[in-house]
Short mmCIF file of all heavy atoms in Angstrom, two decimals:
data_model
loop_
_atom_site.label_atom_id
_atom_site.label_comp_id
_atom_site.label_asym_id
_atom_site.label_seq_id
_atom_site.Cartn_x
_atom_site.Cartn_y
_atom_site.Cartn_z
N VAL A 972 18.46 13.10 38.78
CA VAL A 972 18.37 11.76 38.10
C VAL A 972 16.91 11.63 37.69
O VAL A 972 15.90 12.14 38.26
CB VAL A 972 18.71 10.68 39.20
CG1 VAL A 972 17.64 10.68 40.36
CG2 VAL A 972 18.61 9.31 38.57
N LYS A 973 16.75 11.15 36.43
CA LYS A 973 15.37 10.88 35.95
C LYS A 973 14.95 9.48 36.12
O LYS A 973 15.55 8.52 35.77
CB LYS A 973 15.45 11.16 34.35
CG LYS A 973 14.08 11.09 33.61
CD LYS A 973 14.25 11.49 32.18
CE LYS A 973 12.80 11.47 31.54
NZ LYS A 973 13.02 11.67 29.94
N LEU A 974 13.75 9.34 36.81
CA LEU A 974 13.17 8.06 37.08
C LEU A 974 11.74 7.92 36.65
O LEU A 974 11.06 8.92 36.42
CB LEU A 974 13.13 7.93 38.46
CG LEU A 974 14.51 7.96 39.47
CD1 LEU A 974 14.32 7.96 40.86
CD2 LEU A 974 15.47 6.88 38.92
N THR A 975 11.30 6.67 36.38
CA THR A 975 9.92 6.37 36.09
C THR A 975 9.51 5.30 37.28
O THR A 975 10.16 4.29 37.37
CB THR A 975 9.72 5.81 34.80
OG1 THR A 975 10.00 6.78 33.71
CG2 THR A 975 8.26 5.31 34.58
N ILE A 976 8.42 5.77 38.00
CA ILE A 976 8.05 4.94 39.25
C ILE A 976 6.50 4.65 38.98
O ILE A 976 5.84 5.59 38.75
CB ILE A 976 8.21 5.54 40.55
CG1 ILE A 976 9.76 5.89 40.70
CG2 ILE A 976 7.94 4.66 41.52
CD1 ILE A 976 9.98 6.68 41.98
N GLY A 977 6.12 3.31 38.81
CA GLY A 977 4.76 2.97 38.63
C GLY A 977 4.51 1.58 39.05
O GLY A 977 5.36 0.77 39.50
N TYR A 978 3.19 1.15 39.00
CA TYR A 978 2.70 -0.07 39.34
C TYR A 978 1.84 -0.69 38.20
O TYR A 978 1.09 -0.12 37.69
CB TYR A 978 1.88 -0.04 40.59
CG TYR A 978 1.49 -1.47 41.08
CD1 TYR A 978 2.38 -2.09 41.93
CD2 TYR A 978 0.34 -2.15 40.83
CE1 TYR A 978 2.15 -3.35 42.45
CE2 TYR A 978 0.09 -3.44 41.32
CZ TYR A 978 1.01 -3.99 42.09
OH TYR A 978 0.72 -5.38 42.59
N SER A 979 2.31 -1.79 37.80
CA SER A 979 1.66 -2.61 36.69
C SER A 979 0.54 -3.49 37.24
O SER A 979 0.85 -4.64 37.95
CB SER A 979 2.73 -3.43 35.89
OG SER A 979 1.91 -4.18 34.87
N ARG A 984 3.10 -5.93 39.72
CA ARG A 984 4.49 -5.63 40.12
C ARG A 984 4.75 -4.13 40.32
O ARG A 984 4.09 -3.28 39.45
CB ARG A 984 5.39 -6.15 38.96
CG ARG A 984 5.55 -7.69 38.88
CD ARG A 984 6.59 -7.98 37.84
NE ARG A 984 6.80 -9.55 37.85
CZ ARG A 984 7.73 -10.16 37.07
NH1 ARG A 984 8.30 -9.42 36.07
NH2 ARG A 984 7.93 -11.42 37.12
N LEU A 985 5.50 -3.75 41.03
CA LEU A 985 6.23 -2.38 41.24
C LEU A 985 7.38 -2.34 40.26
O LEU A 985 8.14 -3.33 40.29
CB LEU A 985 6.53 -2.05 42.64
CG LEU A 985 7.30 -0.81 42.85
CD1 LEU A 985 6.34 0.38 42.55
CD2 LEU A 985 7.90 -0.77 44.21
N PHE A 986 7.33 -1.38 39.46
CA PHE A 986 8.51 -1.15 38.52
C PHE A 986 9.20 0.22 38.79
O PHE A 986 8.54 1.18 38.97
CB PHE A 986 8.22 -1.42 37.07
CG PHE A 986 7.33 -0.45 36.56
CD1 PHE A 986 7.76 0.74 35.91
CD2 PHE A 986 5.85 -0.72 36.57
CE1 PHE A 986 6.91 1.70 35.28
CE2 PHE A 986 5.05 0.24 36.06
CZ PHE A 986 5.48 1.39 35.30
N ILE A 987 10.52 0.25 38.60
CA ILE A 987 11.29 1.49 38.74
C ILE A 987 12.30 1.46 37.46
O ILE A 987 13.11 0.58 37.32
CB ILE A 987 12.09 1.63 40.04
CG1 ILE A 987 11.16 1.61 41.25
CG2 ILE A 987 13.00 2.90 39.96
CD1 ILE A 987 11.82 1.59 42.56
N ILE A 988 12.21 2.56 36.70
CA ILE A 988 13.17 2.65 35.61
C ILE A 988 14.06 3.84 35.87
O ILE A 988 13.61 4.90 36.11
CB ILE A 988 12.27 3.01 34.24
CG1 ILE A 988 11.32 1.80 34.07
CG2 ILE A 988 13.22 3.04 32.90
CD1 ILE A 988 10.44 2.03 32.79
N VAL A 989 15.37 3.67 35.69
CA VAL A 989 16.37 4.54 35.93
C VAL A 989 16.81 4.96 34.48
O VAL A 989 17.42 4.24 33.77
CB VAL A 989 17.61 4.03 36.57
CG1 VAL A 989 18.71 5.04 36.84
CG2 VAL A 989 17.28 3.48 37.99
N HIS A 990 16.59 6.24 34.11
CA HIS A 990 16.76 6.69 32.75
C HIS A 990 18.12 7.31 32.67
O HIS A 990 19.07 6.85 31.86
CB HIS A 990 15.69 7.72 32.44
CG HIS A 990 14.29 7.23 32.16
ND1 HIS A 990 13.92 6.36 31.19
CD2 HIS A 990 13.27 7.29 33.01
CE1 HIS A 990 12.72 6.08 31.39
NE2 HIS A 990 12.22 6.62 32.58
N PHE A 1019 20.09 1.60 44.63
CA PHE A 1019 18.81 1.98 45.45
C PHE A 1019 18.53 0.81 46.17
O PHE A 1019 18.73 -0.44 45.91
CB PHE A 1019 17.71 2.62 44.71
CG PHE A 1019 17.12 1.70 43.73
CD1 PHE A 1019 16.07 0.93 44.09
CD2 PHE A 1019 17.70 1.72 42.40
CE1 PHE A 1019 15.44 0.18 43.21
CE2 PHE A 1019 17.08 0.88 41.48
CZ PHE A 1019 15.91 0.03 41.76
N VAL A 1020 17.54 1.04 47.23
CA VAL A 1020 16.99 -0.11 48.07
C VAL A 1020 15.72 0.64 48.54
O VAL A 1020 15.50 1.78 48.75
CB VAL A 1020 17.83 -0.37 49.29
CG1 VAL A 1020 17.95 0.83 50.30
CG2 VAL A 1020 17.29 -1.60 49.90
N LEU A 1021 14.66 -0.41 48.64
CA LEU A 1021 13.34 0.04 49.09
C LEU A 1021 13.14 -0.24 50.58
O LEU A 1021 13.20 -1.33 51.07
CB LEU A 1021 12.27 -0.87 48.33
CG LEU A 1021 12.24 -0.61 46.90
CD1 LEU A 1021 11.20 -1.49 46.25
CD2 LEU A 1021 11.86 0.82 46.60
N GLU A 1046 17.44 1.35 32.44
CA GLU A 1046 17.33 0.10 33.08
C GLU A 1046 16.09 -0.01 33.86
O GLU A 1046 15.73 0.94 34.62
CB GLU A 1046 18.60 -0.26 33.85
CG GLU A 1046 19.98 -0.50 33.08
CD GLU A 1046 20.91 -0.91 33.92
OE1 GLU A 1046 20.77 -1.72 34.79
OE2 GLU A 1046 22.06 -0.59 33.55
N ARG A 1047 15.44 -1.11 33.80
CA ARG A 1047 14.12 -1.41 34.47
C ARG A 1047 14.26 -2.41 35.56
O ARG A 1047 15.00 -3.55 35.44
CB ARG A 1047 13.11 -1.79 33.56
CG ARG A 1047 11.70 -2.18 34.27
CD ARG A 1047 10.61 -2.41 33.42
NE ARG A 1047 9.44 -2.98 33.91
CZ ARG A 1047 8.27 -2.81 33.59
NH1 ARG A 1047 7.83 -2.06 32.52
NH2 ARG A 1047 7.26 -3.40 34.31
N PHE A 1048 13.65 -2.22 36.79
CA PHE A 1048 13.85 -3.07 37.93
C PHE A 1048 12.36 -3.43 38.33
O PHE A 1048 11.53 -2.51 38.59
CB PHE A 1048 14.67 -2.46 39.10
CG PHE A 1048 16.10 -2.13 38.62
CD1 PHE A 1048 16.31 -0.87 38.20
CD2 PHE A 1048 16.98 -3.04 38.62
CE1 PHE A 1048 17.59 -0.53 37.76
CE2 PHE A 1048 18.31 -2.66 38.27
CZ PHE A 1048 18.61 -1.50 37.77
N ASP A 1049 12.00 -4.67 38.46
CA ASP A 1049 10.65 -5.08 39.01
C ASP A 1049 10.63 -5.66 40.30
O ASP A 1049 11.65 -6.37 40.71
CB ASP A 1049 10.04 -6.11 38.05
CG ASP A 1049 9.85 -5.52 36.54
OD1 ASP A 1049 9.50 -4.33 36.50
OD2 ASP A 1049 10.01 -6.00 35.56
N PHE A 1050 9.61 -5.48 41.10
CA PHE A 1050 9.49 -5.98 42.43
C PHE A 1050 8.14 -6.60 42.57
O PHE A 1050 6.99 -5.91 42.28
CB PHE A 1050 9.70 -4.90 43.53
CG PHE A 1050 11.04 -4.30 43.44
CD1 PHE A 1050 11.19 -3.14 42.55
CD2 PHE A 1050 12.19 -4.72 44.02
CE1 PHE A 1050 12.38 -2.41 42.44
CE2 PHE A 1050 13.38 -4.05 43.95
CZ PHE A 1050 13.48 -2.97 43.21
N LEU A 1054 -0.05 -3.55 45.44
CA LEU A 1054 -0.18 -2.13 45.41
C LEU A 1054 -0.04 -1.53 46.85
O LEU A 1054 0.63 -0.63 47.07
CB LEU A 1054 -1.34 -1.71 44.73
CG LEU A 1054 -1.62 -0.10 44.64
CD1 LEU A 1054 -0.37 0.46 43.66
CD2 LEU A 1054 -2.98 0.10 43.94
N SER A 1057 3.46 -1.77 48.08
CA SER A 1057 4.39 -0.82 47.32
C SER A 1057 4.24 0.65 47.92
O SER A 1057 5.19 1.39 47.93
CB SER A 1057 4.00 -0.78 45.84
OG SER A 1057 4.10 -2.13 45.22
N MET A 1058 3.05 1.03 48.33
CA MET A 1058 2.79 2.26 48.89
C MET A 1058 3.34 2.44 50.26
O MET A 1058 3.48 3.57 50.72
CB MET A 1058 1.33 2.58 48.88
CG MET A 1058 0.56 2.60 47.50
SD MET A 1058 -1.07 3.06 47.52
CE MET A 1058 -1.06 4.80 48.14
N LYS A 1060 6.50 1.63 50.83
CA LYS A 1060 7.86 1.60 50.67
C LYS A 1060 8.50 2.97 50.58
O LYS A 1060 7.71 3.89 50.14
CB LYS A 1060 8.34 0.79 49.45
CG LYS A 1060 7.93 -0.64 49.66
CD LYS A 1060 8.46 -1.54 50.50
CE LYS A 1060 8.14 -2.91 50.64
NZ LYS A 1060 8.59 -3.70 51.74
N ARG A 1061 9.83 3.18 50.71
CA ARG A 1061 10.46 4.35 50.50
C ARG A 1061 11.59 4.01 49.72
O ARG A 1061 12.43 3.19 49.99
CB ARG A 1061 10.87 5.05 51.84
CG ARG A 1061 11.80 6.28 51.66
CD ARG A 1061 12.30 6.94 52.98
NE ARG A 1061 11.18 7.39 53.85
CZ ARG A 1061 11.33 7.95 55.01
NH1 ARG A 1061 12.48 7.99 55.57
NH2 ARG A 1061 10.30 8.46 55.74
N LEU A 1062 11.82 4.86 48.76
CA LEU A 1062 13.01 4.61 47.70
C LEU A 1062 14.15 5.43 48.33
O LEU A 1062 14.16 6.61 48.52
CB LEU A 1062 12.65 5.21 46.35
CG LEU A 1062 13.69 5.12 45.49
CD1 LEU A 1062 14.28 3.71 45.08
CD2 LEU A 1062 13.27 5.84 44.07
N ASP A 1063 15.27 4.70 48.61
CA ASP A 1063 16.48 5.28 49.00
C ASP A 1063 17.47 5.08 47.88
O ASP A 1063 18.03 3.96 47.65
CB ASP A 1063 17.03 4.57 50.27
CG ASP A 1063 18.25 5.35 50.83
OD1 ASP A 1063 18.63 6.36 50.23
OD2 ASP A 1063 18.74 4.79 51.94
N LEU A 1064 17.85 6.13 47.14
CA LEU A 1064 18.70 6.08 46.01
C LEU A 1064 19.94 6.92 46.08
O LEU A 1064 19.92 7.95 46.63
CB LEU A 1064 17.89 6.55 44.73
CG LEU A 1064 18.51 6.44 43.31
CD1 LEU A 1064 17.51 6.11 42.31
CD2 LEU A 1064 19.04 7.82 42.97
N LEU A 1083 18.93 10.58 47.12
CA LEU A 1083 17.64 11.16 47.48
C LEU A 1083 16.82 10.12 48.07
O LEU A 1083 17.18 8.81 47.92
CB LEU A 1083 16.96 11.63 46.22
CG LEU A 1083 16.52 10.56 45.05
CD1 LEU A 1083 15.05 10.30 45.35
CD2 LEU A 1083 16.80 10.93 43.73
N GLN A 1084 15.64 10.44 48.78
CA GLN A 1084 14.65 9.53 49.23
C GLN A 1084 13.33 10.07 48.76
O GLN A 1084 13.07 11.16 48.74
CB GLN A 1084 14.85 9.49 50.80
CG GLN A 1084 15.90 8.72 51.30
CD GLN A 1084 15.85 8.49 52.82
OE1 GLN A 1084 14.98 8.99 53.52
NE2 GLN A 1084 16.73 7.64 53.28
N VAL A 1085 12.45 9.00 48.40
CA VAL A 1085 11.16 9.28 47.86
C VAL A 1085 10.13 8.38 48.50
O VAL A 1085 10.38 7.15 48.53
CB VAL A 1085 11.05 9.14 46.32
CG1 VAL A 1085 9.69 9.37 45.84
CG2 VAL A 1085 11.99 10.00 45.63
N ASP A 1086 9.10 8.99 49.17
CA ASP A 1086 8.00 8.06 49.76
C ASP A 1086 7.04 7.80 48.62
O ASP A 1086 6.41 8.53 47.91
CB ASP A 1086 7.38 8.90 50.85
CG ASP A 1086 8.16 9.15 52.06
OD1 ASP A 1086 8.95 8.12 52.31
OD2 ASP A 1086 8.02 10.17 52.68
N LEU A 1087 6.86 6.44 48.40
CA LEU A 1087 6.07 5.96 47.21
C LEU A 1087 4.52 6.26 47.49
O LEU A 1087 3.80 6.21 46.61
CB LEU A 1087 6.30 4.53 47.03
CG LEU A 1087 7.69 4.13 46.66
CD1 LEU A 1087 7.74 2.71 46.10
CD2 LEU A 1087 8.26 5.01 45.58
N ASP A 1088 4.14 6.51 48.71
CA ASP A 1088 2.78 6.87 48.95
C ASP A 1088 2.43 8.23 48.40
O ASP A 1088 1.25 8.62 48.48
CB ASP A 1088 2.36 6.65 50.43
CG ASP A 1088 3.22 7.45 51.29
OD1 ASP A 1088 4.13 8.18 50.82
OD2 ASP A 1088 2.93 7.50 52.46
N GLN A 1089 3.48 9.02 48.10
CA GLN A 1089 3.18 10.38 47.44
C GLN A 1089 3.13 10.43 46.10
O GLN A 1089 3.06 11.44 45.44
CB GLN A 1089 4.34 11.24 48.07
CG GLN A 1089 4.59 11.41 49.49
CD GLN A 1089 3.42 11.83 50.24
OE1 GLN A 1089 2.74 12.89 49.90
NE2 GLN A 1089 3.08 11.29 51.35
N ILE A 1090 3.28 9.24 45.40
CA ILE A 1090 3.21 9.01 43.96
C ILE A 1090 1.98 8.34 43.53
O ILE A 1090 1.52 7.34 44.10
CB ILE A 1090 4.46 8.38 43.54
CG1 ILE A 1090 5.71 9.27 43.97
CG2 ILE A 1090 4.49 8.13 42.04
CD1 ILE A 1090 7.02 8.40 43.59
N ASP A 1091 1.32 8.74 42.39
CA ASP A 1091 0.37 7.97 41.76
C ASP A 1091 0.91 6.77 40.93
O ASP A 1091 1.22 6.98 39.88
CB ASP A 1091 -0.46 8.91 40.87
CG ASP A 1091 -1.71 8.19 40.28
OD1 ASP A 1091 -1.99 7.08 40.52
OD2 ASP A 1091 -2.45 8.98 39.42
N LEU A 1092 0.92 5.67 41.77
CA LEU A 1092 1.76 4.54 41.17
C LEU A 1092 0.81 3.97 40.09
O LEU A 1092 1.39 3.29 39.22
CB LEU A 1092 1.89 3.46 42.31
CG LEU A 1092 2.87 3.76 43.32
CD1 LEU A 1092 3.01 2.81 44.42
CD2 LEU A 1092 4.24 4.09 42.87
N LYS A 1093 -0.46 3.92 39.99
CA LYS A 1093 -1.34 3.41 39.08
C LYS A 1093 -1.03 3.97 37.71
O LYS A 1093 -0.86 3.40 36.61
CB LYS A 1093 -2.76 3.51 39.41
CG LYS A 1093 -3.13 2.57 40.48
CD LYS A 1093 -4.70 2.61 40.70
CE LYS A 1093 -5.12 1.67 41.95
NZ LYS A 1093 -6.53 1.80 42.11
N ALA A 1094 -1.03 5.29 37.75
CA ALA A 1094 -0.79 6.18 36.39
C ALA A 1094 0.82 5.99 36.02
O ALA A 1094 1.12 6.15 34.86
CB ALA A 1094 -1.09 7.59 36.69
N GLY A 1095 1.75 5.91 36.98
CA GLY A 1095 3.12 5.96 36.71
C GLY A 1095 3.53 7.34 36.51
O GLY A 1095 2.94 8.08 35.83
N VAL A 1096 4.63 7.71 37.04
CA VAL A 1096 5.24 9.14 37.06
C VAL A 1096 6.60 9.06 36.46
O VAL A 1096 7.55 8.21 37.02
CB VAL A 1096 5.27 9.66 38.43
CG1 VAL A 1096 5.85 11.00 38.39
CG2 VAL A 1096 3.73 9.76 38.89
N THR A 1097 7.01 9.92 35.52
CA THR A 1097 8.35 10.06 34.95
C THR A 1097 8.68 11.53 35.24
O THR A 1097 8.00 12.44 34.70
CB THR A 1097 8.41 9.73 33.51
OG1 THR A 1097 7.88 8.44 33.24
CG2 THR A 1097 9.84 9.86 32.97
N GLN A 1098 9.80 11.72 35.99
CA GLN A 1098 10.22 13.00 36.27
C GLN A 1098 11.68 13.04 36.75
O GLN A 1098 12.26 11.97 37.00
CB GLN A 1098 9.46 13.71 37.37
CG GLN A 1098 9.53 13.23 38.74
CD GLN A 1098 8.67 13.85 39.71
OE1 GLN A 1098 7.49 13.85 39.59
NE2 GLN A 1098 9.23 14.44 40.76
N TRP A 1099 12.24 14.34 36.82
CA TRP A 1099 13.64 14.60 37.28
C TRP A 1099 13.52 14.78 38.87
O TRP A 1099 12.68 15.62 39.32
CB TRP A 1099 14.20 15.70 36.53
CG TRP A 1099 14.60 15.44 35.15
CD1 TRP A 1099 13.78 15.64 34.10
CD2 TRP A 1099 15.82 14.90 34.63
NE1 TRP A 1099 14.54 15.34 32.88
CE2 TRP A 1099 15.62 14.75 33.19
CE3 TRP A 1099 16.90 14.32 35.26
CZ2 TRP A 1099 16.66 14.28 32.39
CZ3 TRP A 1099 17.90 13.93 34.50
CH2 TRP A 1099 17.72 13.77 33.13
N TYR A 1100 14.40 14.24 39.52
CA TYR A 1100 14.52 14.26 41.01
C TYR A 1100 15.88 14.92 41.30
O TYR A 1100 16.93 14.44 40.79
CB TYR A 1100 14.38 13.04 41.74
CG TYR A 1100 13.06 12.37 41.64
CD1 TYR A 1100 12.73 11.52 40.56
CD2 TYR A 1100 12.08 12.60 42.52
CE1 TYR A 1100 11.50 10.91 40.33
CE2 TYR A 1100 10.78 12.04 42.29
CZ TYR A 1100 10.50 11.13 41.32
OH TYR A 1100 9.24 10.61 41.13
#
Side-chain angles (χ1 to χ4, degrees):
V972 61
K973 184 178 181 181
L974 303 175
T975 296
I976 306 175
Y978 188 83
S979 174
R984 288 182 176 181
L985 171 71
F986 65 88
I987 299 175
I988 302 176
V989 181
H990 294 285
F1019 63 88
V1020 66
L1021 294 177
E1046 295 187 31
R1047 171 171 171 153
F1048 304 93
D1049 293 326
F1050 302 91
L1054 181 60
S1057 300
M1058 295 182 67
K1060 302 295 181 181
R1061 173 185 293 179
L1062 174 65
D1063 186 1
L1064 181 143
L1083 73 98
Q1084 286 191 350
V1085 179
D1086 289 326
L1087 300 192
D1088 59 355
Q1089 303 299 318
I1090 297 176
D1091 186 359
L1092 294 179
K1093 290 184 178 180
V1096 176
T1097 301
Q1098 71 179 59
W1099 289 94
Y1100 295 89

